[in-house]
Amino acid sequence: MTDVVPVDRYCKVNTPRHIPSPTPPCATEFPQSTIEKEPSPKIGLQSSLRNHIIQERKQFTSKMDSFVILKKRKVSPVFYQWVVTIWDNGEKAGMYKCNPALNSTLELEFRKGSKNHQMQLGHNKEVSFDIKEGAVKPIQDLSSSFEYRLERRVLVAGRHVQLPKYWNPTQSHTCQLFEVETDSKEFKDIQETVKETLPQAKIKAIQRIQNLLVYQRYYTEIPRVELASGERNEKFLFHGTRNVSPGTIISCQEGFDTRLAGNQNLWGPAAYFAEDANG
């Protein structure tokens, strides 16, 4: 006859009549959590060395971050840079950016409406900056074969952007409204396009939205579109709103935001445009 051994002798659990897993009795009597191992001296040394290296890396990284932050150049949303280009027999020979002092002086004179600005460079070298015509002329030495041209460049987010000639050359905000003069070609073209489908419409005023950040993205996309299709394929379109103030759309720095479009449109939420004013 075989002796019957109670299960509780080999299974240290509180649940009555719990059947233990098929493991050796020694593993059941001494659970893994209760077995303490003495730490190896080698493992302790490696752990200490690793912690020391991590601390040194953190200190080095913090020092480098502070150095990079001090040296990092802040890019202005909009900056006006004056440059002087040198031409030799119709070919561009070089270009120089005006230093901050001269750049500020030329920009101030430009906003004041000055046509010409003279200043002395070095010893007995007086130079005339023709702001209106975009030329730089040495007053004393007129025998030079080089031609110096003055150019005002608009930098949007650090990138040069060629703005349309009919845009206002200076604005205080990245997105701003400007009145279109009634005797300008821009006003007459818009008026003619509107009256093609709305002949009885009376236009009181036209305002131009000059959004530099949106235009900068458009300007960078022009070469890609021309390379893909061979042309820009641009069209002037109309966008109508219901009871939404146009100022809500204008104030958005991102332009037309399709996330704010309604769900009751014909083809779902999107920004809709029409070729005709009565569309």
Side-chain angles (χ1 to χ4, degrees):
M1 180 179 295
T2 305
D3 294 338
V4 179
V5 181
V7 178
D8 292 342
R9 179 178 176 182
Y10 296 116
C11 183
K12 304 298 181 179
V13 293
N14 296 326
T15 306
R17 295 299 178 186
H18 176 73
I19 301 176
S21 59
T23 55
C26 58
T28 308
E29 293 179 355
F30 304 98
Q32 190 68 22
S33 58
T34 60
I35 301 176
E36 296 182 359
K37 296 182 179 181
E38 295 182 359
S40 173
K42 185 177 180 180
I43 296 176
L45 180 61
Q46 291 178 351
S47 178
S48 177
L49 181 61
R50 180 175 178 273
N51 293 334
H52 179 69
I53 294 175
I54 292 175
Q55 292 296 328
E56 284 190 347
R57 285 182 178 178
K58 287 183 178 180
Q59 294 177 2
F60 177 77
T61 304
S62 62
K63 291 180 181 179
M64 287 301 298
D65 289 343
S66 62
F67 176 77
V68 172
I69 292 174
L70 291 175
K71 295 295 182 180
K72 187 177 180 180
R73 183 180 178 184
K74 184 178 180 181
V75 179
S76 301
V78 183
F79 182 74
Y80 301 99
Q81 177 67 58
W82 290 82
V83 298
V84 176
T85 55
I86 304 174
W87 297 79
D88 184 14
N89 296 325
E91 296 183 359
K92 189 175 180 180
M95 184 195 72
Y96 297 93
K97 294 181 181 179
C98 296
N99 58 46
L102 179 58
N103 193 84
S104 300
T105 301
L106 293 176
E107 181 64 24
L108 181 61
E109 294 295 331
F110 175 81
R111 299 194 180 194
K112 288 166 54 178
S114 303
K115 298 180 180 179
N116 191 283
H117 176 70
Q118 296 181 5
M119 66 178 303
Q120 187 171 348
L121 300 177
H123 298 285
N124 301 325
K125 291 183 179 180
E126 193 171 358
V127 180
S128 174
F129 293 92
D130 194 333
I131 298 177
K132 184 177 181 181
E133 299 296 332
V136 182
K137 300 177 181 179
I139 295 179
Q140 282 84 4
D141 185 12
L142 299 178
S143 60
S144 176
S145 61
F146 294 100
E147 179 185 0
Y148 300 89
R149 300 178 186 177
L150 184 65
E151 182 183 352
R152 180 178 182 262
R153 294 188 174 184
V154 182
L155 303 180
V156 181
R159 297 182 179 181
H160 173 229
V161 176
Q162 187 70 39
L163 299 180
K165 294 182 178 180
Y166 56 87
W167 273 31
N168 194 298
T170 306
Q171 56 188 89
S172 57
H173 299 82
T174 56
C175 184
Q176 194 169 343
L177 283 175
F178 292 93
E179 291 285 341
V180 179
E181 298 180 359
T182 56
D183 57 346
S184 64
K185 183 179 181 300
E186 182 184 8
F187 188 97
K188 293 178 181 179
D189 290 344
I190 297 174
Q191 186 180 43
E192 181 180 354
T193 306
V194 171
K195 289 194 173 184
E196 287 180 357
T197 54
L198 294 175
Q200 304 299 328
K202 294 183 180 180
I203 300 178
K204 296 183 179 180
I206 299 177
Q207 292 179 316
R208 182 193 319 112
I209 306 172
Q210 294 189 187
N211 193 327
L212 295 176
L213 297 178
V214 173
Y215 189 84
Q216 190 263 350
R217 294 200 300 269
Y218 156 80
Y219 185 79
T220 55
E221 283 292 316
I222 292 177
R224 188 187 66 82
V225 174
E226 291 180 344
L227 182 63
S229 60
E231 59 180 354
R232 292 193 182 184
N233 192 22
E234 294 181 342
K235 291 185 178 181
F236 288 98
L237 304 175
F238 293 90
H239 175 76
T241 60
R242 297 178 181 176
N243 56 353
V244 179
S245 173
T248 306
I249 303 176
I250 297 169
S251 60
C252 180
Q253 293 286 345
E254 300 297 327
F256 287 93
D257 193 347
T258 56
R259 296 173 300 178
L260 304 178
N263 296 324
Q264 299 177 355
N265 297 320
L266 183 60
W267 291 288
Y272 290 81
F273 300 88
E275 294 183 352
D276 301 329
N278 64 350

